[in-house]
Amino acid sequence: MSTKLSAMVGLLCAALLLTACGSGLGALEGAWEEVDADDSPVAVEITGDGAITTSADGNACTGTVKPADDVYKFIVDCGFGKSSGTLTLSDDGETLTVGQGEHDPLTLSRAD
């Protein structure tokens, strides 16, 4: 009986650890779109497992997002090269700023 109880406690602890150690992307999850889109807007989809998909100008990129201090770091592969940068969520959770080195930041808003 104590072996079964130990096993159940172990499984419960493992489940709690997995829940606590999730991606931490809850506020980022969902669809985002460029606020000031010119001809071809940028669309971004972020899922709870840390996957990111972007599309613009008929090109699609896939990659991952991970929390890093007060920002999120992403890396995407567009088939012709990789790109990386940071995502910063506004305090109200409605605006996402994409930073990529020397490029001007891109502002996205919630699409869903």
Side-chain angles (χ1 to χ4, degrees):
M1 177 97 158
S2 66
T3 304
K4 287 183 180 181
L5 181 59
S6 295
M8 285 177 40
V9 169
L11 286 174
L12 179 59
C13 289
L16 289 172
L17 282 173
L18 287 174
T19 302
C21 296
S23 67
L25 301 178
L28 290 183
E29 290 179 40
W32 298 86
E33 61 189 3
E34 186 176 4
V35 174
D36 298 318
D38 293 332
D39 296 331
S40 181
V42 174
V44 174
E45 178 78 27
I46 300 172
T47 61
D49 64 356
I52 183 171
T53 303
T54 66
S55 61
D57 295 326
N59 296 312
C61 307
T62 59
T64 58
V65 178
K66 295 181 181 179
D69 298 324
D70 60 343
V71 299
Y72 300 86
K73 294 193 178 205
F74 72 89
I75 185 165
V76 292
D77 188 343
C78 302
F80 52 83
K82 293 184 179 182
S83 181
S84 63
T86 60
L87 302 171
T88 306
L89 188 64
S90 64
D91 290 338
D92 65 4
E94 295 299 315
T95 305
L96 189 63
T97 303
V98 181
Q100 287 185 285
E102 296 180 12
H103 299 286
D104 289 337
L106 178 66
T107 303
L108 306 173
S109 62
R110 269 196 199 282
D112 45 28

